[in-house]
Amino acid sequence: MALLIQGGTIVNADQSFRGDVLCQNGKIVAVGENLDVPANTEKVDASGCMVMPGGIDPHTHMQLPFMGTVASEDFYSGTAAGLAGGTTMIIDFVIPSPQQDIMEAYHQWREWAEKSAADYSFHVAITWWDESVREAMGTLARDYGVNSFKHFMAYKGAIMADDEILVNSFDEARKLGALCTVHAENGELVDRLQKKVLAQGITGPEGHPLSRPPVVEGEAANRAIQIAQVLNVPLYLVHTSCIESLDAIARARQSGQRVFGEVLAGHLMLDDSVYRDSNWASAAAHVMSPPFRPKGHQEALWRGLQSGMLQTTATDHCCFCEPQKAAGKDDFTKIPNGTAGIEDRMHVLWDQGVNTGRLTPNEFVAVTSSNAAKIFNIYPRKGCVQVGADADLVVWDQEKTRTISKETHHQNIDFNIFEGMTVKGVNIATISNGKLVYFDGELRAVKGAGKYVDRPCYAPFYDALEKNAANLSVEPVNRKENS
């Protein structure tokens, strides 16, 4: 059945205009006024509302095995919660264990994701290196639509990628035309600081930010950027949380380097006072990496988003409930890292971004959808309202309000980091692949309805080292022998 969204203002990243949107067979087939629609077309009244591309969350972790447990949100519950919040696609992460066959891990994650209610894709983490990993990267890029590879510079003794892994993986990604992404924290420094903080008798969640200060993120961001510059590979820094890494990104971009920055909704809203809550469970619920930062970093991140130095917003949605967090009751280093947010990202960004004048509605669309689609090479299939695009849409009532609460959210977690926040600007309808999956508070998500989205690689980037070598004189220097 066809679906018509009528009477709204269409908001893309580049322009806004009045018009209706006709969806059929999962695609947008017409945009404009006085459209000719088939008989029995389902209609959604968007009068007085905005019609925008569905959100793309480029950083989630559904069903993740991590720190001795498994995230409480699976691919169905997580994507369903995303649909309730206006997010119609996620890019999750395949994270092989060290020495695990990369393709084995990839197929395991694909199997888990078959229950997704919304479209999905994967970054693949490189956690170790040998020739089989190189071959797997090529197979993933050529045959499975993977155009981004993730590198954890943190988590020593587990999934941390050292400089040798970074250099090998970055160079292979360059040859494939793929994008490198990094979690920028110096794992060696974190390991040492964790031991130091514990030795001081600090075992509670307040020790978490002390062991991961902004400088350890800034150092890793700088290092990754410099490695990417030497090898001439594009770089995407996930969850940029502090001034130090933002400055590194800005310097690189101003010099012409292809570097992109992502910021989490949580890092824009919260500061490190959450770790000093007298309630241990509440403080532990906020433990994620990088941690929430001291006041001042939040406004700098907003300016980074406004200026275009940061291009995308995400959640790092990775849910662990109170009994899971309790594994670190006597040692903050054992608290599973992760918070939720996929259902609330677009609402809090609209409220604190558009309603405050920090972002225009068009910029909101860019940072919640279009920029991610462009960076990860799925635009204009995703990220815009135009003929031929996937029919992933939200109908947004900018006057309606909603109070965020764990009691009413759809996320499978017993805590909400935005608890009690009243937001103005709410999605009243979500359309995924042309189907009305959320309408006026009613979630109609269907398990398994989501599709895997191929993301083609770009053309291979030139070898900067080879080019530099070619520019050097090949004539040997004649030197006199010592007498």
Side-chain angles (χ1 to χ4, degrees):
M1 179 184 291
L3 176 69
L4 180 70
I5 302 100
Q6 58 185 359
T9 298
I10 296 167
V11 182
N12 279 318
D14 58 346
Q15 62 176 327
S16 303
F17 57 94
R18 292 295 300 275
D20 301 340
V21 183
L22 180 63
C23 309
Q24 202 165 17
N25 298 322
K27 297 287 186 180
I28 297 173
V29 296
V31 177
E33 296 183 288
N34 303 313
L35 300 178
D36 185 18
V37 302
N40 300 319
T41 294
E42 184 179 9
K43 296 179 180 179
V44 175
D45 183 6
S47 300
C49 297
M50 296 180 173
V51 181
M52 301 184 289
I56 299 172
D57 190 336
H59 189 155
T60 65
H61 296 285
M62 307 300 177
Q63 208 166 325
L64 175 68
F66 189 55
M67 296 183 70
T69 186
V70 178
S72 60
E73 193 90 272
D74 68 19
F75 278 89
Y76 169 67
S77 64
T79 53
L83 292 173
T87 289
T88 54
M89 180 181 171
I90 63 169
I91 309 181
D92 207 272
F93 292 81
V94 174
I95 306 179
S97 302
Q99 307 306 311
Q100 182 183 11
D101 180 80
I102 305 298
M103 297 308 303
E104 175 187 67
Y106 174 79
H107 289 302
Q108 177 64 79
W109 256 267
R110 284 291 301 268
E111 181 182 332
W112 289 338
E114 288 178 358
K115 63 176 77 74
S116 293
D119 286 359
Y120 60 95
S121 193
F122 286 107
H123 314 281
V124 176
I126 303 302
T127 56
W128 63 290
W129 189 262
D130 72 3
E131 284 305 307
S132 72
V133 177
R134 187 191 307 278
E135 292 171 8
M137 289 177 69
T139 299
L140 289 165
R142 289 187 297 268
D143 302 335
Y144 292 92
V146 173
N147 70 5
S148 53
F149 294 95
K150 172 71 175 290
H151 307 81
F152 290 90
M153 300 174 77
Y155 305 116
K156 181 182 177 181
I159 56 176
M160 187 178 91
D162 61 18
D163 284 1
E164 181 181 5
I165 294 173
L166 293 178
V167 170
N168 281 313
S169 178
F170 280 27
D171 191 51
E172 187 62 22
R174 176 193 60 75
K175 296 173 186 176
L176 296 169
L179 185 68
C180 292
T181 83
V182 296
H183 171 139
E185 287 185 295
N186 185 309
E188 291 289 346
L189 284 174
V190 170
D191 182 66
R192 175 163 294 203
L193 290 172
Q194 285 179 332
K195 292 172 181 174
K196 181 178 179 180
V197 172
L198 287 171
Q200 294 172 340
I202 300 172
T203 60
E206 67 275 14
H208 181 66
L210 295 175
S211 68
R212 306 178 101 98
V215 67
V216 306
E217 181 182 338
E219 186 283 327
N222 271 292
R223 179 157 41 97
I225 287 169
Q226 295 302 318
I227 293 172
Q229 180 185 40
V230 171
L231 297 175
N232 193 41
V233 65
L235 184 68
Y236 180 98
L237 285 89
V238 305
H239 49 44
T240 303
S241 73
C242 63
I243 294 169
E244 287 81 352
S245 55
L246 173 61
D247 286 347
I249 292 169
R251 285 193 299 271
R253 289 180 61 83
Q254 287 164 354
S255 69
Q257 191 176 347
R258 290 185 181 89
V259 176
F260 306 101
E262 166 194 287
V263 63
L264 305 185
H267 283 136
L268 288 166
M269 308 293 169
L270 305 177
D271 63 67
D272 65 348
S273 63
V274 295
Y275 299 113
R276 297 187 291 276
D277 194 307
S278 59
N279 182 299
W280 186 94
S282 178
H286 290 88
V287 168
M288 63 167 297
S289 297
F292 299 112
R293 300 301 190 187
K295 285 187 181 297
H297 290 272
Q298 295 78 39
E299 190 55 42
L301 294 173
W302 275 113
R303 291 196 297 270
L305 201 58
Q306 289 174 285
S307 66
M309 292 301 164
L310 300 174
Q311 295 77 37
T312 63
T313 60
T315 59
D316 197 359
H317 185 84
C318 189
C319 298
F320 298 104
C321 294
E322 184 177 343
Q324 294 171 293
K325 293 278 188 176
K329 185 69 174 178
D330 300 314
D331 181 349
F332 69 86
T333 69
K334 296 178 181 178
I335 300 172
N337 284 205
T339 59
I342 193 170
E343 187 170 352
D344 304 312
R345 174 184 65 126
M346 293 181 70
H347 291 108
V348 297
L349 286 170
W350 182 278
D351 186 74
Q352 294 298 305
V354 179
N355 289 345
T356 62
R358 290 181 172 121
L359 300 173
T360 67
N362 305 93
E363 290 169 336
F364 171 84
V365 168
V367 302
T368 59
S369 183
S370 304
N371 287 351
K374 291 176 181 178
I375 291 169
F376 294 106
N377 206 19
I378 50 175
Y379 185 91
R381 176 181 174 181
K382 303 286 187 183
C384 63
V385 183
Q386 70 176 48
V387 173
D390 286 356
D392 293 346
L393 304 159
V394 293
V395 179
W396 200 265
D397 185 340
Q398 58 267 43
E399 297 301 322
K400 190 171 183 178
T401 61
R402 166 178 169 251
T403 299
I404 296 172
S405 174
K406 66 179 182 181
E407 303 301 329
T408 55
H409 71 201
H410 299 83
Q411 299 166 143
N412 188 27
I413 188 172
D414 55 7
F415 193 88
N416 194 306
I417 60 173
F418 304 114
E419 184 72 32
M421 182 177 176
T422 298
V423 293
K424 183 180 180 182
V426 176
N427 70 303
I428 59 171
T430 306
I431 294 90
S432 175
N433 288 306
K435 304 292 185 183
L436 187 61
V437 293
Y438 177 82
F439 183 69
D440 200 22
E442 180 189 357
L443 182 59
R444 306 176 184 178
V446 176
K447 185 176 290 188
K451 298 178 296 184
Y452 178 76
V453 177
D454 283 325
R455 295 177 292 116
C457 287
Y458 291 95
F461 296 90
Y462 73 81
D463 188 333
L465 291 176
E466 186 175 297
K467 180 179 179 182
N468 290 339
N471 291 333
L472 297 175
S473 171
V474 296
E475 294 297 324
V477 176
N478 291 318
R479 293 186 174 88
K480 293 180 179 180
E481 293 292 336
N482 291 330
S483 57

